Structures are given as C-alpha cells and as structure tokens.
Amino acid sequence: MPADAAAPRVRAVSAERLATAAGPAQFPPGDLPEIAFAGRSNVGKSSLLGRLAGRRGLARTSAEPGKTRLLHFYRVECAVQDERRSVVLVDLPGYGYAKVSKQERARWRTLVEGYLGNRPALRAVIVLHDVRRELADAEHELLLWLAERGSPALLVLTKTDKLAPMQRALRIRALTEAAELPEGHVLATSASTGDGIDALWGALLDRV
Ligand code: GTP
Ligand code: MG
C-alpha cells in the first residue's frame, strides 16, 4: 500500500513570508505553532517547504549552497477536510557546507541553537536527509540532541524521485535502521513529484 493511502488529504490554501531573521530580535511573535526544517545544505529544505505550501517559489532555493545565514518564517494555512489550520514553517540555514569559514560556522550555530533551544512556539523539528546518502555524524548528533530534549524527531528523506522504486525501498529501509527511530518517524518525500507530501502534512499536523 502506498504510504499516502491512509493520510488525510491536506491542501494549502494560503502561504506568506512572515519574517526573515538574523537573530532573535527579528523572530515573529510566536503565536502560531512552528515546525523547523533542519538539514545539510542542498538537501532540499526550501524546495520541500515550497511544495508543502503549494507554492513552489515561496521559499528561495539556493543557487549558492551555504550562503543563507538567515531563518525564514512562512505562515501556511491549510485545509484538512472541513477544518482550517495555520502553522509556521521555519526554513533553517543548512549545515555542512565545506566552503564556510570557522567564524561563519560559529555564527550559524549561535543563530540556529538560539532558535531551537529557546522557542516556546516550536512544536517539532524535522531533519531532512537525501535518500541517496548515508547518515553522517551531523544527522546523528541532531537526532540525538532532539531526542534528549524530549522532542521525538522526524527524519524526512528527500529526492526520492532520483531513485528507481526498488532501490528507493532498499534505501528507506537501510536509513530507517541506521537512524534507530521508531516506526512512523521516517518519511520519504520528493519535492519534484509530490511523493509523500500528504503523509508528511499528516505527521506535521499531528505535532502541532
Ligand atoms: P540550502 O538553503 O543551501 O541549505 O539548501 P536547501 O536544503 O534549501 O535545498 P534547496 O531546496 O535549495 O534544493 C537544492 C537543490 O536540490 C535544488 O537544485 C533543487 O531543485 C534540488 N531539489 C530539491 N528537492 C528535490 C527533489 O525532491 N527532487 C529533485 N530531483 N531535486 C530536488
Ligand atoms: Mg534553502
């Protein structure tokens, strides 16, 4: 059965950029539940966010990986059956880009940890990971950090369209084992085809 078969149909009805922040002073008020998108640079955070919001150009996808040093907040209103719900999706700057100075890396850490560690509105952090790659220390550390804080992470595999179905299934199984997460905490998606988007919306709305 396809993963989406049991997921409710979620439709984004409106989306807007709320804020772009270089630090806490520019964070929005935090009166709506927030979900943060974390992951290596180029993993597809902005693309997936745009797909969820039903507006491909909403979040800027980067021609220059690793250049974004800002937090982008987007309010998305969606319709689930007869209900309307609003959430804020937060596009975090990507990590792990090699051509970044030590100083810039430290600035990234201060900004991202300053948000993740002190944000009452934050309901969930999703960790995005390219389905073709092995998990590295950075992903394990992030998953562990989230588990220790009592917020069970959701590992979202990206770019599934890049693999043939058989290979895709094998990679999903291998990464689920490697992440040591409970069943249902690993989802496979493609921003290009929309694969897994309904299931992801379902998982996000369960957390807000
Ligand atoms: P940073 O902002 O640098 O951290 O990158 P990001 O994680 O936001 O990645 P972004 O969404 O900018 O995507 C990076 C590249 O991957 C772009 O060229 C996208 O078009 C491509 N991409 C993203 N998602 C998918 C996908 O599901 N399938 C395919 N084939 N390409 C994708
Ligand atoms: Mg991005």
Side-chain angles (χ1 to χ4, degrees), residues 40-47 59-62 66 68 72 91-94:
R40 200 164 284 279
S41 185
N42 209 44
V43 73
K45 295 176 294 299
S46 303
S47 303
R60 197 165 303 148
T61 56
S62 46
T68 314
H72 300 277
D91 196 3
L92 300 176

mmCIF file of all heavy atoms in Angstrom, residues 40-47 59-62 66 68 72 91-94, ligand 2:
data_model
loop_
_atom_site.group_PDB
_atom_site.id
_atom_site.type_symbol
_atom_site.label_atom_id
_atom_site.label_comp_id
_atom_site.label_asym_id
_atom_site.label_seq_id
_atom_site.Cartn_x
_atom_site.Cartn_y
_atom_site.Cartn_z
ATOM 1 N N ARG A 40 21.333 19.329 6.063
ATOM 2 C CA ARG A 40 22.511 19.699 5.321
ATOM 3 C C ARG A 40 22.143 20.674 4.195
ATOM 4 O O ARG A 40 21.052 20.611 3.637
ATOM 5 C CB ARG A 40 23.037 18.394 4.708
ATOM 6 C CG ARG A 40 24.448 18.357 4.286
ATOM 7 C CD ARG A 40 24.846 16.894 4.103
ATOM 8 N NE ARG A 40 25.045 16.270 5.413
ATOM 9 C CZ ARG A 40 26.164 16.402 6.134
ATOM 10 N NH1 ARG A 40 27.177 17.106 5.677
ATOM 11 N NH2 ARG A 40 26.273 15.829 7.306
ATOM 12 N N SER A 41 23.068 21.530 3.862
ATOM 13 C CA SER A 41 22.863 22.439 2.755
ATOM 14 C C SER A 41 22.603 21.637 1.480
ATOM 15 O O SER A 41 23.239 20.602 1.251
ATOM 16 C CB SER A 41 24.112 23.302 2.602
ATOM 17 O OG SER A 41 23.896 24.253 1.612
ATOM 18 N N ASN A 42 21.641 22.078 0.683
ATOM 19 C CA ASN A 42 21.312 21.460 -0.604
ATOM 20 C C ASN A 42 20.451 20.200 -0.491
ATOM 21 O O ASN A 42 20.171 19.547 -1.487
ATOM 22 C CB ASN A 42 22.601 21.129 -1.372
ATOM 23 C CG ASN A 42 22.385 21.171 -2.868
ATOM 24 O OD1 ASN A 42 21.735 22.098 -3.364
ATOM 25 N ND2 ASN A 42 22.881 20.185 -3.573
ATOM 26 N N VAL A 43 20.019 19.858 0.725
ATOM 27 C CA VAL A 43 19.244 18.623 0.906
ATOM 28 C C VAL A 43 17.821 18.765 0.334
ATOM 29 O O VAL A 43 17.152 17.764 0.042
ATOM 30 C CB VAL A 43 19.217 18.235 2.409
ATOM 31 C CG1 VAL A 43 18.314 19.161 3.219
ATOM 32 C CG2 VAL A 43 18.805 16.805 2.617
ATOM 33 N N GLY A 44 17.385 20.025 0.194
ATOM 34 C CA GLY A 44 16.053 20.253 -0.371
ATOM 35 C C GLY A 44 15.041 20.825 0.619
ATOM 36 O O GLY A 44 13.836 20.674 0.431
ATOM 37 N N LYS A 45 15.536 21.540 1.661
ATOM 38 C CA LYS A 45 14.638 22.116 2.672
ATOM 39 C C LYS A 45 13.663 23.120 2.050
ATOM 40 O O LYS A 45 12.453 23.027 2.240
ATOM 41 C CB LYS A 45 15.448 22.829 3.770
ATOM 42 C CG LYS A 45 16.328 21.898 4.586
ATOM 43 C CD LYS A 45 17.178 22.671 5.602
ATOM 44 C CE LYS A 45 18.208 23.577 4.956
ATOM 45 N NZ LYS A 45 19.203 22.886 4.133
ATOM 46 N N SER A 46 14.224 24.086 1.318
ATOM 47 C CA SER A 46 13.377 25.149 0.762
ATOM 48 C C SER A 46 12.408 24.589 -0.276
ATOM 49 O O SER A 46 11.257 25.007 -0.354
ATOM 50 C CB SER A 46 14.255 26.235 0.134
ATOM 51 O OG SER A 46 15.153 26.742 1.099
ATOM 52 N N SER A 47 12.871 23.621 -1.056
ATOM 53 C CA SER A 47 12.011 23.022 -2.088
ATOM 54 C C SER A 47 10.844 22.284 -1.452
ATOM 55 O O SER A 47 9.699 22.394 -1.911
ATOM 56 C CB SER A 47 12.809 22.026 -2.943
ATOM 57 O OG SER A 47 13.920 22.656 -3.525
ATOM 58 N N ALA A 59 9.711 29.615 -0.883
ATOM 59 C CA ALA A 59 10.999 29.644 -0.199
ATOM 60 C C ALA A 59 12.085 29.618 -1.267
ATOM 61 O O ALA A 59 12.026 28.814 -2.183
ATOM 62 C CB ALA A 59 11.131 28.447 0.721
ATOM 63 N N ARG A 60 13.020 30.486 -1.111
ATOM 64 C CA ARG A 60 14.063 30.581 -2.138
ATOM 65 C C ARG A 60 14.951 29.345 -2.109
ATOM 66 O O ARG A 60 15.484 28.973 -1.077
ATOM 67 C CB ARG A 60 14.896 31.837 -1.910
ATOM 68 C CG ARG A 60 15.699 32.221 -3.126
ATOM 69 C CD ARG A 60 16.212 33.636 -3.011
ATOM 70 N NE ARG A 60 15.132 34.597 -2.813
ATOM 71 C CZ ARG A 60 15.266 35.718 -2.114
ATOM 72 N NH1 ARG A 60 16.400 36.000 -1.537
ATOM 73 N NH2 ARG A 60 14.255 36.550 -1.995
ATOM 74 N N THR A 61 15.081 28.699 -3.250
ATOM 75 C CA THR A 61 16.022 27.575 -3.329
ATOM 76 C C THR A 61 17.351 28.170 -3.777
ATOM 77 O O THR A 61 17.391 29.138 -4.529
ATOM 78 C CB THR A 61 15.534 26.504 -4.320
ATOM 79 O OG1 THR A 61 15.326 27.115 -5.575
ATOM 80 C CG2 THR A 61 14.240 25.877 -3.851
ATOM 81 N N SER A 62 18.418 27.605 -3.269
ATOM 82 C CA SER A 62 19.674 28.313 -3.421
ATOM 83 C C SER A 62 20.512 27.860 -4.595
ATOM 84 O O SER A 62 20.772 26.677 -4.762
ATOM 85 C CB SER A 62 20.482 28.204 -2.128
ATOM 86 O OG SER A 62 20.457 26.873 -1.674
ATOM 87 N N GLY A 66 24.830 27.066 1.027
ATOM 88 C CA GLY A 66 25.587 27.512 2.194
ATOM 89 C C GLY A 66 25.654 29.007 2.374
ATOM 90 O O GLY A 66 26.219 29.503 3.331
ATOM 91 N N THR A 68 22.981 31.039 2.720
ATOM 92 C CA THR A 68 21.888 31.566 3.527
ATOM 93 C C THR A 68 22.224 31.490 5.000
ATOM 94 O O THR A 68 22.419 30.416 5.540
ATOM 95 C CB THR A 68 20.593 30.782 3.250
ATOM 96 O OG1 THR A 68 20.479 30.646 1.860
ATOM 97 C CG2 THR A 68 19.380 31.499 3.792
ATOM 98 N N HIS A 72 14.068 31.783 7.880
ATOM 99 C CA HIS A 72 12.902 32.269 7.142
ATOM 100 C C HIS A 72 11.651 31.639 7.727
ATOM 101 O O HIS A 72 11.565 30.422 7.837
ATOM 102 C CB HIS A 72 13.008 31.896 5.665
ATOM 103 C CG HIS A 72 14.200 32.466 4.980
ATOM 104 N ND1 HIS A 72 14.222 33.749 4.488
ATOM 105 C CD2 HIS A 72 15.423 31.951 4.730
ATOM 106 C CE1 HIS A 72 15.411 33.987 3.957
ATOM 107 N NE2 HIS A 72 16.163 32.913 4.094
ATOM 108 N N ASP A 91 12.365 27.726 7.777
ATOM 109 C CA ASP A 91 13.451 27.228 6.930
ATOM 110 C C ASP A 91 14.771 27.635 7.588
ATOM 111 O O ASP A 91 15.129 28.813 7.618
ATOM 112 C CB ASP A 91 13.295 27.880 5.548
ATOM 113 C CG ASP A 91 14.087 27.181 4.458
ATOM 114 O OD1 ASP A 91 14.730 26.148 4.748
ATOM 115 O OD2 ASP A 91 14.063 27.679 3.314
ATOM 116 N N LEU A 92 15.474 26.644 8.138
ATOM 117 C CA LEU A 92 16.744 26.940 8.812
ATOM 118 C C LEU A 92 17.874 26.938 7.787
ATOM 119 O O LEU A 92 17.809 26.211 6.801
ATOM 120 C CB LEU A 92 17.040 25.868 9.869
ATOM 121 C CG LEU A 92 16.034 25.692 11.004
ATOM 122 C CD1 LEU A 92 16.453 24.530 11.897
ATOM 123 C CD2 LEU A 92 15.920 26.961 11.827
ATOM 124 N N PRO A 93 18.920 27.718 8.047
ATOM 125 C CA PRO A 93 20.065 27.647 7.133
ATOM 126 C C PRO A 93 20.723 26.272 7.214
ATOM 127 O O PRO A 93 20.800 25.679 8.285
ATOM 128 C CB PRO A 93 20.994 28.756 7.626
ATOM 129 C CG PRO A 93 20.565 29.064 9.005
ATOM 130 C CD PRO A 93 19.121 28.678 9.128
ATOM 131 N N GLY A 94 21.154 25.773 6.097
ATOM 132 C CA GLY A 94 21.744 24.432 6.039
ATOM 133 C C GLY A 94 23.122 24.368 6.673
ATOM 134 O O GLY A 94 23.837 25.361 6.737
HETATM 135 MG MG MG B 2 17.297 26.618 1.418
#
